[in-house]
């Protein structure tokens, strides 16, 4: 957690609207940039410790590599974000294009990336997605990029191909896959995390003596944050910080303040 200036960081989500080429794109690039600046400003003013940029509006998602025009648009938006905030930011390219996310972060002074499937494989609505840790770690070396890799375990909107213990998967993510942090989520966007699963992941991390943070990836609210963050090392929060608690709505600065106050 050296990236952040606090022991239990809150990372707020900037969910981008549909980008050019996506089915829901409304033809207005200027409005996307405006929304980005407004959401980022509300998150930083509300007190988050970091920001995650994600192409959330691009559903249905490509299962792995996205087209070059998507990379170009997200890179331009990441550069805009860097100009308007002082907190660390990261990039997630859905559904699992961590190579593009890593390149964007390296080029725009991003501090971290999120990868949904880093090792192993998961069955998703995009089909079978396989981890590419071997490519991701080598690309980071080639780019000489000081960018942390935050990897999901049992990522939301997916199912395992075979049941395996959290101890096994944690070991593979970190010891064999080189992840710098582990993300534990609920079953879907905005869904609460299973506290038993969270505790098992933390216990597996501790039993193996691994010096990596365990972050919550969905479903954190002002009411649940104190208890959850007594176990986890931080949280990535999106839906609870939006107007009316709807994921696609603009960020509500007052909601950000309530969550940050509950954590602090």
């Amino acid at each position: 957690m050296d990236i952040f200036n606090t022991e239990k960081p809150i990372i707020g989500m900037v969910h981008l609207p549909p980008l050019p080429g996506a089915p829901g794109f409304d033809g207005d690039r200027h409005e996307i940039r405006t929304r980005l600046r407004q959401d980022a400003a509300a998150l930083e003013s509300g007190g988050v410790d970091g920001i995650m940029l994600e192409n959330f509006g691009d559903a249905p998602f490509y299962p792995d590599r996205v087209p070059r025009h998507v990379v170009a648009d997200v890179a331009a938006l990441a550069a805009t974000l860097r100009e308007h905030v002082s907190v660390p930011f990261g990039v997630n390219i859905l559904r699992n294009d961590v190579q593009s996310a890593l390149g964007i972060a390296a080029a725009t002074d991003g501090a971290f990336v999120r990868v949904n499937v880093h090792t192993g494989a998961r069955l998703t609505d995009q089909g079978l997605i396989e981890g590419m840790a071997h490519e991701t770690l080598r690309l980071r070396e080639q780019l000489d990029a000081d960018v942390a890799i935050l990897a999901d375990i049992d990522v939301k909107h997916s199912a395992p191909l075979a049941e395996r213990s959290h101890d096994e998967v944690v070991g593979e993510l970190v010891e064999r896959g080189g992840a710098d942090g582990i993300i534990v989520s609920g079953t879907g966007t905005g869904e609460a995390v299973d506290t038993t699963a969270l505790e098992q992941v933390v216990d597996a991390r501790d039993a193996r003596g691994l010096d990596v943070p365990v972050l919550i990836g969905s479903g954190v609210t002002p009411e649940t944050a104190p208890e959850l963050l007594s176990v986890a090392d931080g949280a990535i929060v999106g839906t609870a910080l939006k107007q009316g608690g709807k994921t696609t709505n603009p960020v509500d600065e007052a909601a950000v303040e309530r969550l940050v106050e509950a954590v602090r």
Side-chain angles (χ1 to χ4, degrees):
M1 291 288 93
D2 293 343
I3 296 170
F4 308 99
N5 294 319
T6 184
E7 184 179 351
K8 300 276 187 174
I10 298 298
I11 302 169
M13 290 298 306
V14 169
H15 291 117
L16 293 171
L19 300 175
F25 177 57
D26 66 2
D28 192 342
R29 275 191 169 92
H30 175 73
E31 177 57 30
I32 294 174
R33 290 192 295 273
T34 299
R35 171 72 177 274
L36 166 72
R37 291 193 294 267
Q38 291 172 342
D39 281 355
L43 288 169
E44 186 165 32
S45 296
V48 301
D49 307 295
I51 292 174
M52 178 83 75
L53 184 68
E54 182 180 85
N55 60 326
F56 183 81
D58 278 356
F61 303 115
Y62 293 92
D64 38 54
R65 300 294 175 87
V66 301
R68 285 171 286 186
H69 65 83
V70 176
V71 179
D73 272 309
V74 177
L77 292 165
T80 298
L81 180 63
R82 176 73 289 160
E83 293 173 357
H84 287 84
V85 299
S86 59
V87 296
F89 77 91
V91 181
N92 186 23
I93 302 294
L94 300 170
R95 182 64 153 102
N96 205 52
D97 191 353
V98 64
Q99 286 81 15
S100 292
L102 186 58
I104 292 168
T108 59
D109 198 26
F112 53 95
V113 295
R114 179 177 185 173
V115 52
N116 290 173
V117 183
H118 185 55
T119 59
R122 304 282 295 185
L123 186 61
T124 75
D125 52 320
Q126 293 79 36
L128 181 64
I129 294 182
E130 299 182 48
M132 302 292 286
H134 58 290
E135 288 191 1
T136 304
L137 270 293
R138 286 171 172 79
L139 177 60
R140 184 168 65 173
E141 288 297 316
Q142 292 167 9
L143 296 176
D144 193 23
D146 188 16
V147 177
I149 297 169
L150 307 181
D152 277 273
I153 183 171
D154 295 336
V155 68
K156 54 193 173 184
H157 302 290
S158 76
L161 300 184
E163 293 298 331
R164 304 181 65 206
S165 72
H166 285 115
D167 180 69
E168 289 179 292
V169 181
V170 165
E172 290 180 358
L173 278 174
V174 180
E175 295 171 341
R176 292 166 64 87
D180 302 299
I182 302 169
I183 301 172
V184 183
S185 297
T187 57
T189 301
E191 296 294 328
V193 67
D194 182 325
T195 54
T196 299
L198 174 63
E199 291 169 353
Q200 289 174 349
V201 171
V202 171
D203 288 345
R205 185 269 314 269
D206 294 344
R208 288 177 173 268
L210 302 175
D211 185 22
V212 297
V214 174
L215 306 176
I216 300 168
S218 71
V220 174
T221 68
E223 293 73 29
T224 63
E227 180 179 357
L228 290 172
L229 290 180
S230 69
V231 180
D233 302 303
I236 301 169
V237 189
T239 302
L241 306 183
K242 301 300 185 68
Q243 295 175 11
K246 184 177 180 181
T247 309
T248 54
N249 280 352
V251 171
D252 181 347
E253 186 174 335
V256 181
E257 292 173 347
R258 286 193 296 272
L259 180 69
V260 170
E261 182 178 355
V263 172
R264 301 289 181 261

